[in-house]
Amino acid sequence: MTNVTNVVIAGLGGQGVLKASDILADAAFRAGLDVKKSELHGMSQRGGSVSSDVRFGPQVLSPMVPPGEADVLLVLEETQVEINRPILRANGILIGPDVLAEGALKNKKSLNVALLGAMSMVLDIPEEDWLTAMYANLAEKLHKINEHAFALGRAAALERNQAG
Amino acid sequence: MTGERLLLSGDDAVALAALHAGVKLGTGYPGTPSTEILETFDHLGGRAQWSPNEKVALEVAMGTAFAGARTLVTMKHVGLNVAADPLFTAAYTDIEGGLVLVSADDPGMASSQNEQDNRHYARAAALPMLEPIDSQQAYDFTWLGFELSERWKIPVILRLTTRVCHSKTVVVPRARIQDQPEPSFERNIPARVMIPAYAKPAHHKLRQKLAEIAAWNEQEGPTRLDEGKAELGIIATGIAAVHAREAAPDARQLTIGLTYPLPMERIRAFADGVERLVVVEEGDPMLVDALRAAGIPAEGKPEMYRFGELNVARVRRILAGDTSPEPVPPKGKPPALCQGCSHRTVFQALKDLDCIVAGDIGCYTLGVLPPFSAMDTCVCMGASIGVGLGMRHVLPEDQARRVVSVIGDSTFVHSGLTGIAEMVYNPPATGHLVLILDNGTTAMTGQQEHPGTGRLLDHSPTGKISFEALAASMGVQNVHVIDANDREDGMKTLIADLLAKPETSLVVARQPCVLAAPKIRFYEKAAAEQGCAAEPAS
Ligand SMILES: Cc1ncc(C[n+]2csc(CCOP(=O)(O)OP(=O)(O)O)c2C)c(N)n1
Ligand code: SF4
């Protein structure tokens, strides 16, 4: 399956991993692509490790990203980076919580959306689809704070790219 | 709605199809990965209700179907064990309204106590089974299930697996059905009263129905052929079909949708046209065995792939005949009881008192993990009481006195009542103690209501079962209610006192799940306000 983009989002229960993957899947869906998203629910609300796979492209078959084939790995919690690293392909892109400067985020709960912002700089999905997906998947009272977080993530990624 | 493109989980796709197909009632009992189906059906405006357990859910569904209405009944794989008794005889009856039973299996045990393969049930109960590969098929097969069910007056099993239930994929729905006949009772005693005189011909009739469905499956069944080279032919079902397509895009592939009764002649023709034939199926080697029994030589998978889920990498290995050890994925952080969870106090007390704990299934099963390590058995829902009693009966007295059965509130309603009957009827010489951990919700599966919460699936108020009144009326000698959180010492003292008595005791440790508590307060407030508004003006 060429032309399929593989993304894995990981973290701990309660961090909004599934919300983040919902937004990503929805954004790709709105961009007109075939999308599959998969994860294991269940014990995630009790603080265990959680990860979610999102694949998109002209046609997606299996909903799960095979080990070593993720193009992008987004991790919300430093301790979860190493255990998820085997999913990433050689030269794949890792986006971790260290993308943001310490204290840059007004509300820690929007870390998931901030890192999506950073990821939006490396994925081929129009910004308006990202924003529409974000609004559709979050309660209205959360829109402002997450808009801010998303923009912050984009700026941080840009800065990092320029520095690198 | 037609033509619209949606991104849906398999569960949501089933719920939407149920709505569109005119389901009059959805019943079930929560269980990962099936729970969201009825919740979504309710959100979409369908009529859905939780039953106390899966057996009751299926019985209610049968009544609905006998009355001529379309019914959806949902459960996780082990739920079908509980519902197996009605299932096997429902197969003998003639139903009027379509009945689709969702069995959501959990290969890999993401959130289950076993990974049983419920394809065996289709064969054992002689019921047709549909197995979708993605959300679109989950949607389409729900519709098809109702059509087959009504055409042959037979319940149909829709077997989903965790990855189909919880993966989101694109769905294009069809138009919602318009005129559904109103339910109306039509007497048909020989078709619905399974005494031997009627059941004997009914069994023959069932086999006749299956033969007809098999013939239909050969001609018109939802079997999909992907063209490819003749060197490798793959026969696959369910989610394994998409893994296989990705692992071997050049192969010729036959994906079977109605997996019982099988379209065996179609399979035979496919097999004749390929040089090598491999069956790719998750779980037990059922399909490959069926092919071999029909005289079709096929390769199956090495035994190591019976365990756990399949994925693209594993299917590649199966096709390559690779039985070398698989890479072990790094272990993540295990879940733990939430901070402030009321179950913590109870397990601390049980640990301090060095109890032998016959446990049960729910969030509280996490009491088995450190720092508590305070659970000694866990088998299936409700087993805590029987298992605790069995140990009490035979252990030496000093050990027997330490045995406690621990069971959650939802689990107690599901299958604890008969355990209490057993305790009252066959009390051990040392007595026994049952602890109900009443956190006011079914926390494990995402906070569903049950008959002990006094709220319906949509959280509106209804009748409520009082565990303490129930236990007292059943003849339990000592019945206590204690706040699980406030009084750690109180909890310990109470348990120690009751363990010292050679009597039957039941303690309800009551304290809402901390995650559910704000919502429970909200529902209670809403109910109180509604209650006021509904008061007749005097
Ligand atoms: C036969 C069967 N049906 C459903 C399930 C899924 N399930 C496991 S535990 C549980 C109920 C848990 O609720 P409760 O007993 O109230 O404990 P809590 O999680 O709230 O602590 C359910 C529905 C199962 N394991 N077996
Ligand atoms: S979800 Fe509720 S019952 Fe489960 S561990 Fe957390 S507080 Fe306890």
Side-chain angles (χ1 to χ4, degrees), chain B residues 349-370:
Chain B
L350 295 172
K351 181 186 159 115
D352 292 349
L353 292 167
D354 193 23
C355 289
I356 297 170
V357 181
D360 225 299
I361 306 193
C363 270
Y364 53 95
T365 312
L366 293 170
V368 70
L369 300 177

PDB file of all heavy atoms in Angstrom, chain B residues 349-370:
ATOM      1  N   ALA B 349      -8.427  -2.992  53.337  1.00  0.00           N
ATOM      2  CA  ALA B 349      -8.945  -3.720  54.503  1.00  0.00           C
ATOM      3  C   ALA B 349      -8.776  -5.230  54.307  1.00  0.00           C
ATOM      4  O   ALA B 349      -8.336  -5.949  55.214  1.00  0.00           O
ATOM      5  CB  ALA B 349     -10.411  -3.368  54.727  1.00  0.00           C
ATOM      6  N   LEU B 350      -9.095  -5.717  53.118  1.00  0.00           N
ATOM      7  CA  LEU B 350      -8.993  -7.156  52.856  1.00  0.00           C
ATOM      8  C   LEU B 350      -7.541  -7.620  52.934  1.00  0.00           C
ATOM      9  O   LEU B 350      -7.242  -8.718  53.414  1.00  0.00           O
ATOM     10  CB  LEU B 350      -9.574  -7.489  51.479  1.00  0.00           C
ATOM     11  CG  LEU B 350     -11.083  -7.239  51.329  1.00  0.00           C
ATOM     12  CD1 LEU B 350     -11.518  -7.416  49.878  1.00  0.00           C
ATOM     13  CD2 LEU B 350     -11.874  -8.193  52.242  1.00  0.00           C
ATOM     14  N   LYS B 351      -6.642  -6.768  52.494  1.00  0.00           N
ATOM     15  CA  LYS B 351      -5.219  -7.105  52.551  1.00  0.00           C
ATOM     16  C   LYS B 351      -4.758  -7.128  54.013  1.00  0.00           C
ATOM     17  O   LYS B 351      -4.091  -8.071  54.453  1.00  0.00           O
ATOM     18  CB  LYS B 351      -4.425  -6.064  51.758  1.00  0.00           C
ATOM     19  CG  LYS B 351      -2.931  -6.325  51.715  1.00  0.00           C
ATOM     20  CD  LYS B 351      -2.236  -5.148  51.041  1.00  0.00           C
ATOM     21  CE  LYS B 351      -0.773  -5.155  51.443  1.00  0.00           C
ATOM     22  NZ  LYS B 351       0.152  -5.390  50.404  1.00  0.00           N
ATOM     23  N   ASP B 352      -5.151  -6.097  54.761  1.00  0.00           N
ATOM     24  CA  ASP B 352      -4.727  -6.016  56.162  1.00  0.00           C
ATOM     25  C   ASP B 352      -5.240  -7.216  56.959  1.00  0.00           C
ATOM     26  O   ASP B 352      -4.581  -7.687  57.877  1.00  0.00           O
ATOM     27  CB  ASP B 352      -5.236  -4.715  56.801  1.00  0.00           C
ATOM     28  CG  ASP B 352      -4.543  -3.489  56.211  1.00  0.00           C
ATOM     29  OD1 ASP B 352      -3.538  -3.675  55.483  1.00  0.00           O
ATOM     30  OD2 ASP B 352      -5.026  -2.358  56.442  1.00  0.00           O
ATOM     31  N   LEU B 353      -6.432  -7.687  56.594  1.00  0.00           N
ATOM     32  CA  LEU B 353      -7.022  -8.808  57.343  1.00  0.00           C
ATOM     33  C   LEU B 353      -6.586 -10.163  56.776  1.00  0.00           C
ATOM     34  O   LEU B 353      -7.046 -11.205  57.234  1.00  0.00           O
ATOM     35  CB  LEU B 353      -8.554  -8.702  57.306  1.00  0.00           C
ATOM     36  CG  LEU B 353      -9.139  -7.517  58.080  1.00  0.00           C
ATOM     37  CD1 LEU B 353     -10.609  -7.310  57.720  1.00  0.00           C
ATOM     38  CD2 LEU B 353      -8.989  -7.729  59.594  1.00  0.00           C
ATOM     39  N   ASP B 354      -5.710 -10.140  55.775  1.00  0.00           N
ATOM     40  CA  ASP B 354      -5.204 -11.352  55.137  1.00  0.00           C
ATOM     41  C   ASP B 354      -6.347 -12.278  54.682  1.00  0.00           C
ATOM     42  O   ASP B 354      -6.330 -13.489  54.938  1.00  0.00           O
ATOM     43  CB  ASP B 354      -4.262 -12.091  56.112  1.00  0.00           C
ATOM     44  CG  ASP B 354      -3.464 -13.169  55.382  1.00  0.00           C
ATOM     45  OD1 ASP B 354      -3.315 -13.050  54.151  1.00  0.00           O
ATOM     46  OD2 ASP B 354      -3.023 -14.143  56.032  1.00  0.00           O
ATOM     47  N   CYS B 355      -7.340 -11.685  54.040  1.00  0.00           N
ATOM     48  CA  CYS B 355      -8.487 -12.472  53.575  1.00  0.00           C
ATOM     49  C   CYS B 355      -8.123 -13.295  52.344  1.00  0.00           C
ATOM     50  O   CYS B 355      -7.215 -12.958  51.589  1.00  0.00           O
ATOM     51  CB  CYS B 355      -9.645 -11.543  53.223  1.00  0.00           C
ATOM     52  SG  CYS B 355     -10.400 -10.806  54.674  1.00  0.00           S
ATOM     53  N   ILE B 356      -8.846 -14.387  52.162  1.00  0.00           N
ATOM     54  CA  ILE B 356      -8.785 -15.138  50.909  1.00  0.00           C
ATOM     55  C   ILE B 356      -9.948 -14.600  50.089  1.00  0.00           C
ATOM     56  O   ILE B 356     -11.112 -14.718  50.501  1.00  0.00           O
ATOM     57  CB  ILE B 356      -8.945 -16.649  51.170  1.00  0.00           C
ATOM     58  CG1 ILE B 356      -7.775 -17.148  52.040  1.00  0.00           C
ATOM     59  CG2 ILE B 356      -9.043 -17.411  49.853  1.00  0.00           C
ATOM     60  CD1 ILE B 356      -7.968 -18.573  52.569  1.00  0.00           C
ATOM     61  N   VAL B 357      -9.650 -13.957  48.960  1.00  0.00           N
ATOM     62  CA  VAL B 357     -10.684 -13.202  48.265  1.00  0.00           C
ATOM     63  C   VAL B 357     -11.123 -13.899  46.978  1.00  0.00           C
ATOM     64  O   VAL B 357     -10.348 -14.038  46.037  1.00  0.00           O
ATOM     65  CB  VAL B 357     -10.198 -11.770  47.951  1.00  0.00           C
ATOM     66  CG1 VAL B 357     -11.298 -10.991  47.240  1.00  0.00           C
ATOM     67  CG2 VAL B 357      -9.783 -11.060  49.233  1.00  0.00           C
ATOM     68  N   ALA B 358     -12.370 -14.351  46.984  1.00  0.00           N
ATOM     69  CA  ALA B 358     -12.977 -14.851  45.745  1.00  0.00           C
ATOM     70  C   ALA B 358     -13.492 -13.615  45.020  1.00  0.00           C
ATOM     71  O   ALA B 358     -14.430 -12.963  45.466  1.00  0.00           O
ATOM     72  CB  ALA B 358     -14.113 -15.818  46.051  1.00  0.00           C
ATOM     73  N   GLY B 359     -12.840 -13.254  43.920  1.00  0.00           N
ATOM     74  CA  GLY B 359     -13.124 -11.984  43.259  1.00  0.00           C
ATOM     75  C   GLY B 359     -14.072 -12.142  42.098  1.00  0.00           C
ATOM     76  O   GLY B 359     -14.542 -13.237  41.776  1.00  0.00           O
ATOM     77  N   ASP B 360     -14.334 -11.019  41.458  1.00  0.00           N
ATOM     78  CA  ASP B 360     -15.261 -11.020  40.333  1.00  0.00           C
ATOM     79  C   ASP B 360     -14.752 -10.051  39.284  1.00  0.00           C
ATOM     80  O   ASP B 360     -13.606  -9.603  39.360  1.00  0.00           O
ATOM     81  CB  ASP B 360     -16.673 -10.691  40.825  1.00  0.00           C
ATOM     82  CG  ASP B 360     -17.691 -11.624  40.204  1.00  0.00           C
ATOM     83  OD1 ASP B 360     -17.787 -11.612  38.968  1.00  0.00           O
ATOM     84  OD2 ASP B 360     -18.371 -12.355  40.946  1.00  0.00           O
ATOM     85  N   ILE B 361     -15.607  -9.696  38.322  1.00  0.00           N
ATOM     86  CA  ILE B 361     -15.121  -8.908  37.189  1.00  0.00           C
ATOM     87  C   ILE B 361     -15.673  -7.495  37.210  1.00  0.00           C
ATOM     88  O   ILE B 361     -16.859  -7.271  37.370  1.00  0.00           O
ATOM     89  CB  ILE B 361     -15.485  -9.595  35.866  1.00  0.00           C
ATOM     90  CG1 ILE B 361     -14.963 -11.033  35.909  1.00  0.00           C
ATOM     91  CG2 ILE B 361     -14.862  -8.859  34.692  1.00  0.00           C
ATOM     92  CD1 ILE B 361     -14.976 -11.727  34.586  1.00  0.00           C
ATOM     93  N   GLY B 362     -14.775  -6.536  37.038  1.00  0.00           N
ATOM     94  CA  GLY B 362     -15.141  -5.121  37.014  1.00  0.00           C
ATOM     95  C   GLY B 362     -13.873  -4.334  37.268  1.00  0.00           C
ATOM     96  O   GLY B 362     -12.779  -4.906  37.319  1.00  0.00           O
ATOM     97  N   CYS B 363     -14.012  -3.024  37.454  1.00  0.00           N
ATOM     98  CA  CYS B 363     -12.842  -2.212  37.807  1.00  0.00           C
ATOM     99  C   CYS B 363     -12.112  -2.824  38.996  1.00  0.00           C
ATOM    100  O   CYS B 363     -10.883  -2.836  39.054  1.00  0.00           O
ATOM    101  CB  CYS B 363     -13.283  -0.815  38.220  1.00  0.00           C
ATOM    102  SG  CYS B 363     -13.366   0.357  36.875  1.00  0.00           S
ATOM    103  N   TYR B 364     -12.888  -3.311  39.944  1.00  0.00           N
ATOM    104  CA  TYR B 364     -12.308  -3.799  41.197  1.00  0.00           C
ATOM    105  C   TYR B 364     -11.418  -5.016  41.007  1.00  0.00           C
ATOM    106  O   TYR B 364     -10.688  -5.380  41.934  1.00  0.00           O
ATOM    107  CB  TYR B 364     -13.430  -4.094  42.216  1.00  0.00           C
ATOM    108  CG  TYR B 364     -14.502  -5.003  41.666  1.00  0.00           C
ATOM    109  CD1 TYR B 364     -14.470  -6.373  41.889  1.00  0.00           C
ATOM    110  CD2 TYR B 364     -15.538  -4.483  40.897  1.00  0.00           C
ATOM    111  CE1 TYR B 364     -15.443  -7.200  41.348  1.00  0.00           C
ATOM    112  CE2 TYR B 364     -16.511  -5.302  40.366  1.00  0.00           C
ATOM    113  CZ  TYR B 364     -16.463  -6.654  40.591  1.00  0.00           C
ATOM    114  OH  TYR B 364     -17.416  -7.467  40.051  1.00  0.00           O
ATOM    115  N   THR B 365     -11.459  -5.637  39.836  1.00  0.00           N
ATOM    116  CA  THR B 365     -10.528  -6.755  39.596  1.00  0.00           C
ATOM    117  C   THR B 365      -9.087  -6.252  39.678  1.00  0.00           C
ATOM    118  O   THR B 365      -8.153  -7.020  39.940  1.00  0.00           O
ATOM    119  CB  THR B 365     -10.795  -7.399  38.221  1.00  0.00           C
ATOM    120  OG1 THR B 365     -12.198  -7.632  38.102  1.00  0.00           O
ATOM    121  CG2 THR B 365     -10.079  -8.729  38.078  1.00  0.00           C
ATOM    122  N   LEU B 366      -8.911  -4.924  39.469  1.00  0.00           N
ATOM    123  CA  LEU B 366      -7.566  -4.351  39.581  1.00  0.00           C
ATOM    124  C   LEU B 366      -7.030  -4.454  41.007  1.00  0.00           C
ATOM    125  O   LEU B 366      -5.850  -4.216  41.254  1.00  0.00           O
ATOM    126  CB  LEU B 366      -7.570  -2.889  39.119  1.00  0.00           C
ATOM    127  CG  LEU B 366      -7.855  -2.685  37.623  1.00  0.00           C
ATOM    128  CD1 LEU B 366      -8.072  -1.216  37.302  1.00  0.00           C
ATOM    129  CD2 LEU B 366      -6.718  -3.244  36.780  1.00  0.00           C
ATOM    130  N   GLY B 367      -7.884  -4.823  41.957  1.00  0.00           N
ATOM    131  CA  GLY B 367      -7.432  -5.095  43.325  1.00  0.00           C
ATOM    132  C   GLY B 367      -6.446  -6.256  43.379  1.00  0.00           C
ATOM    133  O   GLY B 367      -5.775  -6.471  44.386  1.00  0.00           O
ATOM    134  N   VAL B 368      -6.347  -6.999  42.275  1.00  0.00           N
ATOM    135  CA  VAL B 368      -5.394  -8.112  42.223  1.00  0.00           C
ATOM    136  C   VAL B 368      -3.951  -7.594  42.108  1.00  0.00           C
ATOM    137  O   VAL B 368      -3.001  -8.279  42.473  1.00  0.00           O
ATOM    138  CB  VAL B 368      -5.710  -9.060  41.043  1.00  0.00           C
ATOM    139  CG1 VAL B 368      -5.415  -8.401  39.705  1.00  0.00           C
ATOM    140  CG2 VAL B 368      -4.917 -10.356  41.163  1.00  0.00           C
ATOM    141  N   LEU B 369      -3.803  -6.370  41.600  1.00  0.00           N
ATOM    142  CA  LEU B 369      -2.455  -5.836  41.340  1.00  0.00           C
ATOM    143  C   LEU B 369      -1.877  -5.215  42.605  1.00  0.00           C
ATOM    144  O   LEU B 369      -2.607  -4.825  43.511  1.00  0.00           O
ATOM    145  CB  LEU B 369      -2.523  -4.784  40.234  1.00  0.00           C
ATOM    146  CG  LEU B 369      -3.060  -5.257  38.874  1.00  0.00           C
ATOM    147  CD1 LEU B 369      -3.130  -4.092  37.902  1.00  0.00           C
ATOM    148  CD2 LEU B 369      -2.202  -6.376  38.309  1.00  0.00           C
ATOM    149  N   PRO B 370      -0.547  -5.114  42.676  1.00  0.00           N
ATOM    150  CA  PRO B 370       0.063  -4.401  43.784  1.00  0.00           C
ATOM    151  C   PRO B 370      -0.454  -2.957  43.768  1.00  0.00           C
ATOM    152  O   PRO B 370      -0.793  -2.452  42.698  1.00  0.00           O
ATOM    153  CB  PRO B 370       1.564  -4.421  43.456  1.00  0.00           C
ATOM    154  CG  PRO B 370       1.734  -5.512  42.456  1.00  0.00           C
ATOM    155  CD  PRO B 370       0.442  -5.639  41.728  1.00  0.00           C
TER     156      PRO B 370
END
